[in-house]
Amino acid sequence: MQTLSPASVRFLADLKLYLLASGKNEQATQDIVTELENHLQEAEADGKSTVAITGASPADYMKSIASEMKTDYRESVAILLQIIAGVFCYLLFQDLLDGPLAYSLYFLIGFIVLISLFLIVLSRLFRYSATHPDSKRSFIWFGLYGSLTFLLLIGLFFTDSLVSSPMIHFSWWSSWLIGLFAFLFTVYTAYRAKTWILPIGLLAYLLPQVVIRYGFDGSPLLAVLVGYLFATVTMTGLFFYETNFKKSETMED
């Protein structure tokens, strides 16, 4: 089987990212990518370039394919709930450092709304990244939007004590059982998604805090800020590594 050129490999990876970020079914997306991969191999065997298949604007070609595919709302909602649960694991393990779990209804609703909005905008950033593969703006936007979401979550933390709302309390035993379930859930979702960005990011977020708080008796606020910095850099780096290198290796196989 002929090996695709780097330009074709990159295009297929960007196309897959764009379609998935547009809410298209994963299996249907993989079928489209596989079919197009065969076309590209045939074209390159005849001495043609990627442009012969995609046209002068790969971005327009991606959009035209996406417009012909149905949006899988059921899968999109399932992924949304999975990601919300995964992100909540960060909050849960953070709270386990301080004692038994306790959450207000105001905080839980606010958290779900903020993360949902974050994921909606994030899908647009993924599509921008796929259609502008050589632009450094996507890296900047990812960092800025991640920082904005973090600040909004901090605001939610501070206003939580100012808003009267029913509280849900958990004992130490139930808190640690929830923590164990959350850890297993994180590992399971990472295995299903074939990416370890979330659990590695979780470790990058928690380990510096444990070292600062219990190794050097540092302040909890400093520990959170350092943990957030480590997690942001680690997860952003892993995301770009996987999209730019690991996907190309998969295509070549």
Side-chain angles (χ1 to χ4, degrees), residues 16-221:
K16 185 174 183 178
L17 175 63
Y18 184 88
L19 294 178
L20 291 177
S22 300
K24 308 307 178 185
N25 179 268
E26 184 177 2
Q27 185 57 54
T29 295
Q30 187 57 53
D31 292 340
I32 290 290
V33 171
T34 301
E35 181 181 352
L36 187 56
E37 180 182 9
N38 295 331
H39 289 322
L40 288 170
Q41 286 175 340
E42 293 173 1
E44 292 185 359
D46 293 335
K48 300 177 182 178
S49 64
T50 308
V51 179
I53 299 294
T54 65
S57 175
D60 290 340
Y61 187 78
M62 292 181 196
K63 293 175 183 177
S64 67
I65 292 179
S67 65
E68 297 174 358
M69 299 175 64
K70 292 183 178 179
T71 300
D72 192 334
Y73 293 103
R74 182 177 180 180
E75 183 173 301
S76 298
V77 171
I79 292 174
L80 174 66
L81 294 176
Q82 232 179 14
I83 294 176
I84 289 177
V87 174
F88 188 74
C89 288
Y90 279 77
L91 172 66
L92 187 145
F93 284 111
Q94 174 69 56
D95 290 342
L96 281 175
L97 294 177
D98 300 320
L101 301 176
Y103 298 108
S104 70
L105 191 60
Y106 162 79
F107 181 84
L108 291 177
I109 293 176
F111 179 84
I112 292 174
V113 170
L114 280 179
I115 297 302
S116 297
L117 291 175
F118 171 75
L119 292 174
I120 291 172
V121 177
L122 190 63
S123 68
R124 294 184 176 274
L125 290 179
F126 282 152
R127 279 180 276 175
Y128 179 86
S129 175
T131 53
H132 299 77
D134 298 321
S135 174
K136 295 182 180 179
R137 289 184 179 180
S138 56
F139 185 87
I140 297 174
W141 280 114
F142 276 112
L144 288 176
Y145 190 60
S147 299
L148 174 61
T149 303
F150 176 74
L151 292 176
L152 290 174
L153 287 173
I154 291 295
L156 184 63
F157 274 104
F158 280 110
T159 58
D160 185 29
S161 59
L162 304 176
V163 177
S164 178
S165 176
M167 292 291 298
I168 304 174
H169 295 274
F170 299 90
S171 66
W172 260 116
W173 281 107
S174 59
S175 296
W176 282 106
L177 284 175
I178 293 173
L180 176 61
F181 175 79
F183 174 76
L184 295 176
F185 175 82
T186 303
V187 173
Y188 171 74
T189 54
Y191 172 76
R192 286 291 303 273
K194 297 180 181 178
T195 173
W196 296 93
I197 292 179
L198 185 61
I200 292 176
L202 181 60
L203 289 175
Y205 179 67
L206 292 174
L207 289 180
Q209 293 194 58
V210 173
V211 172
I212 292 174
R213 292 182 62 173
Y214 302 108
F216 297 94
D217 198 25
S219 71
L221 179 59

